[in-house]
Each structure stands twice: as structure tokens, then as C-alpha cells.
Amino acid sequence: MGIQLLSISHKTAPAEVRARFAFQEQQRALILDQLVSAPEIKEAVILSTCSRTELYCSGDQDSRILKIMQNTIIEAAGAGGIAGIGGYILRYQGERAVHHLFLVTAGLDSVVLGEDQILGQVRQAYFESHSRGYCKADFNNLFRLAVTAAKKIKTDTVLSKSSVSTAGLALKKAEQCHGGLAGKKLLVIGGSGQIGSIVLKDAVAVKGLDVYAAIRKSLPAGLHNEDYIPIRYEERYLWMDQMDVIISATASPHYTVTRERFEQHRTIHKKRVFFDLAVPQDMEESLQELPDTDYYNMEDMQELARQNNERKQNSLPQAHEILREYEQQFYKHMLYSQNLQQIQAQKQFLLNEAQRCGLEKALDHFFIALREEAEVDELETFMRLLSRV
């Protein structure tokens, strides 16, 4: 099975390393173009989120493909000069690569166990590659079944029933810090982005919470002006003084909140909670040194997620059984596809035999040949299958 995977995630690399590999759409397209231009690589998909960057490829020369993949992704990240960069990269092949994708898509390898956001991100990564013609039969089946399995887990288990995203954890922690969010004001910076839009949708559902959003682009789908108060991104510091909770989740390479500018505009002294849900970081960590201020970044969210995950452990056996079922479906699809030429040849042979000596004798010849050529255990397996079809 010529499926290869490189993974850099929250499990292997600190935030500053992951930030180098947090590729934007244009970068992802260039990486895909470069990969499939290599004759060894037939298919390619790249997944890039705040917690992980993963590269999936298929082809015939396993060791050569892995080398091409690693060189390409390190060069794209400008990370060749980082000492020990290879130690942050996990490498999977064949069944291990397939199993890892199913785990990731279902949110079972996420910071927050069972999170919903990763499912959409995997689907988007697949669509980006498929639209460029870089997914063929194997990857079409692989990603379709991984998404289907993840949906079934979310429907049939409790893994997605509470605190299923970093956004949900942040709001829950903000509620704990303030003793409730009713009557409080929350500002989301980057509300039209991938993570920010999830924060915004979760926030507007909190009863009694006044939600503000500093956005540069259009409204996220499903939200309306009456759900929150939109403000200009450039005016965020002017509004920040009124806020009780500030959450930033942008793709900006620059800080969206610095301590100096916040202090310049602060006139109201009260309890505030800052959440930095971006990679690279959006906020200066020195904000936590201010009085009556709590500050959390993605590293802190990992600990909150660990505590949340402990409550979901009982659902894991059921989830893994669902994954196993769909992984088996993929292997069967791939095995059938890889042997389609041989299947067609055998069908044609039987049709020719049926025309020559009749259908019954042709089938007799087929089963006798099978009996003579198969090992005993192979023949037993075949006979069991006959009773089930």
C-alpha cells in the first residue's frame, strides 16, 4: 500500500515550530503542485491547521516519496536551518497512515478529544486537492470513508456532546473566570476566519453575553448583524477597554493585541480574560502580567483539553470499532480496485468458457481450478464467503 504521511502536530512540536508549517491556501497549492510534479507521486493532500500540518501522498516508491515529501515541506516552511527539525516530524506508511487519518478526522488525535472543527478542515483539505486533480481512486475512497466514519462517531457516541472545540473550551474557561457570562462583553478578533467564526457562532449562543466582532471580511455563514455588534478591526483597541473577555484567532503574522497599545487605551480597571487561539500567537504573553488579567494561549488550552478528554474515555472503544469498520471498507475498495484488471480478465475467461461448453461446465471448471490452486486456509475462507453472499 503506497500511502505515505508526514505529520507535525501538537504532540510532537512546540507552537513556534508548528507556526512555521501553518501554510495558507496559496502556499498549500504550491506545495501540492510541486509534489505531484514528481513522477513517483500519484496523489497528494495537505492538511494545515493551528494544531497540525499533515502531508498525505500515494505512489510506488515508498522511501523515495517520503524523502521528496520531507524536503518539500521543510523548504516551504523555511525550516531547513532549524536544528533537529526532522525530530518533530512523524512518518507513517501504509495501514498506519490510513489509521492516523481516520483518527485525525474523527477528532481522536486532537487537543480536544472529539472536536468538530477538524472534520471540516480535513474535508476542505481534500476538496482543495481534488479540485486540482490530485486525488484519484484511492484518495477519493480514503478521504470519503474517513469523513463518513467521523460523522458516524459524532452521531453514535458522546465524544462530540460537550466542549468539542478549542472555542468551546475557551468560553467555558471564561465563564469559570468570571463566575458566569451573563451581562459580560466579549470581543472576538478575527471573527470571519476559520477558527474565529467558530468562536463567534459559539459565543452568540451564550445567553446574556454581549458579543462584539472585529472583522476585516464578510460575515461568517449563518450569522447576522443582530447576532453581534461588528466593529472595524482598526478600532479594536478603542472597544477593548469595555470588554470582559477578548479572544483572538487570526492568521495574521503580526500581533493583534500588544500590551503597550492595550495599556494606552485602558481607562477601566476590571477583571479581563484574554484567549490567544492562533498559531503563530496573536497576543503578547506579557498581557498576563497586568493586574486582574488572565491569559491563555494554545499551550494552555492543551491542559484544559486534557482535563476535558478524561471525561470522554468511556466512548473511545465504540469510536475505535467504528473506525475499524470503515478502515476495512477502504482496504476492500483498494484491493478490488488494484485487482480490477485481473477480475475483468477472469470474467471474460468465464464468459468465453460458457460460450464454448455451457455455463454449468464453465463454473465447474472455475471451482475445480480454485480447489486445486488454493491453500487449505484460503479455500476455507472462500467457502465461508460463499455462504454469506
Side-chain angles (χ1 to χ4, degrees):
M1 187 190 306
I3 296 177
Q4 316 295 324
L5 161 65
L6 295 185
S7 174
I8 300 170
S9 76
H10 59 95
K11 290 188 172 182
T12 62
E16 59 269 20
V17 173
R18 298 200 308 272
R20 283 183 171 267
F21 293 86
F23 301 116
Q24 300 304 307
E25 184 176 355
Q26 187 175 6
Q27 293 174 290
R28 296 194 297 267
L30 290 173
I31 291 170
L32 290 172
D33 291 344
Q34 184 174 347
L35 286 168
V36 297
S37 68
E40 298 89 346
I41 295 177
K42 298 177 180 178
E43 302 172 284
V45 171
I46 183 168
L47 169 68
S48 187
T49 76
C50 60
S51 296
R52 70 177 69 247
T53 294
E54 297 191 336
L55 191 56
Y56 295 83
C57 290
S58 73
D60 297 326
Q61 301 181 37
D62 293 355
S63 59
R64 173 65 178 156
I65 290 174
L66 279 174
K67 184 176 181 181
I68 295 171
M69 291 167 67
Q70 181 159 318
N71 289 344
T72 301
I73 200 170
I74 289 176
E75 180 182 352
I82 299 179
I85 187 63
Y88 296 116
I89 303 174
L90 294 179
R91 301 161 185 82
Y92 297 103
Q93 294 179 289
E95 292 185 6
R96 291 186 66 201
V98 170
H99 183 60
H100 183 81
L101 173 63
F102 275 76
L103 288 174
V104 167
T105 309
L108 302 186
D109 194 64
S110 296
V111 174
V112 180
L113 190 63
E115 63 141 322
D116 289 326
Q117 184 182 358
I118 188 65
L119 173 57
Q121 292 168 331
V122 170
R123 187 191 292 113
Q124 180 61 32
Y126 164 70
F127 286 154
E128 284 183 5
S129 181
H130 183 269
S131 67
R132 303 178 75 83
Y134 299 155
C135 287
K136 297 179 173 46
D138 285 346
F139 271 20
N140 287 336
N141 277 324
L142 176 61
F143 282 86
R144 176 181 61 83
L145 288 169
V147 168
T148 303
K151 289 180 178 178
K152 186 171 179 61
I153 287 172
K154 294 181 187 307
T155 301
D156 293 2
T157 74
V158 301
L159 284 170
S160 297
K161 298 300 186 287
S162 63
S163 297
V164 294
S165 67
T166 334
L169 282 177
L171 290 171
K172 185 175 181 180
K173 188 62 181 179
E175 184 179 19
Q176 293 174 352
C177 291
H178 283 293
L181 292 177
K184 301 298 182 182
K185 294 183 178 181
L186 179 146
L187 172 62
V188 179
I189 303 174
S192 59
Q194 191 175 63
I195 300 173
S197 61
I198 295 174
V199 176
L200 199 52
K201 289 177 182 179
D202 287 353
V204 297
V206 178
K207 188 175 181 180
L209 177 64
D210 294 327
V211 180
Y212 298 72
I215 55 178
R216 288 173 169 168
K217 299 180 181 179
S218 58
L219 296 171
L223 288 173
H224 309 282
N225 276 324
E226 60 267 24
D227 294 325
Y228 63 93
I229 300 172
I231 65 173
R232 294 180 59 195
Y233 176 82
E234 295 78 9
E235 297 176 352
R236 63 194 183 280
Y237 284 105
L238 299 177
W239 291 85
M240 212 174 290
D241 194 38
Q242 304 176 31
M243 300 299 136
D244 302 286
V245 182
I246 299 96
I247 300 177
S248 188
T250 77
S252 171
H254 310 293
Y255 284 128
T256 60
V257 183
T258 66
R259 175 177 173 174
E260 180 181 3
R261 291 199 63 189
F262 171 70
E263 287 191 286
Q264 287 175 354
H265 293 83
R266 183 181 58 170
T267 60
I268 303 171
H269 293 271
K270 62 176 180 176
K271 174 74 173 180
R272 289 185 181 85
V273 188
F274 290 87
F275 291 93
D276 186 345
L277 305 185
V279 176
Q281 290 179 206
D282 272 352
M283 299 177 173
E284 285 187 333
E285 291 189 27
S286 58
L287 287 164
Q288 63 192 320
E289 300 169 5
L290 297 173
D292 296 323
T293 300
D294 291 340
Y295 164 88
Y296 300 92
N297 59 26
M298 286 300 291
E299 301 295 331
D300 300 311
M301 299 308 291
Q302 289 186 31
E303 175 57 24
L304 295 177
R306 185 194 63 78
Q307 298 170 15
N308 181 72
N309 292 346
E310 288 178 354
R311 298 189 288 271
K312 299 183 178 182
Q313 295 301 314
N314 291 339
S315 293
L316 284 178
Q318 182 184 1
H320 282 287
E321 182 57 31
I322 292 171
L323 291 188
R324 191 194 72 81
E325 173 190 344
Y326 282 90
E327 286 175 43
Q328 290 299 309
Q329 284 191 40
F330 168 69
Y331 297 138
K332 289 189 287 187
H333 278 287
M334 188 172 66
L335 189 61
Y336 187 89
S337 175
Q338 290 175 343
N339 290 277
L340 191 57
Q341 186 174 355
Q342 183 178 348
I343 291 170
Q344 295 295 346
Q346 186 63 44
K347 283 171 60 179
Q348 189 60 51
F349 173 78
L350 286 172
L351 289 171
N352 293 340
E353 282 289 283
Q355 287 182 346
R356 186 180 66 83
C357 60
L359 179 60
E360 186 172 351
K361 281 191 175 295
L363 291 173
D364 285 341
H365 293 164
F366 172 78
F367 283 110
I368 290 170
L370 186 69
R371 180 193 68 190
E372 297 303 316
E373 294 297 327
E375 299 292 338
V376 173
D377 58 340
E378 293 173 336
L379 194 57
E380 286 178 342
T381 299
F382 182 78
M383 293 305 174
R384 282 198 302 270
L385 287 173
L386 279 182
S387 67
R388 287 159 49 184
V389 297

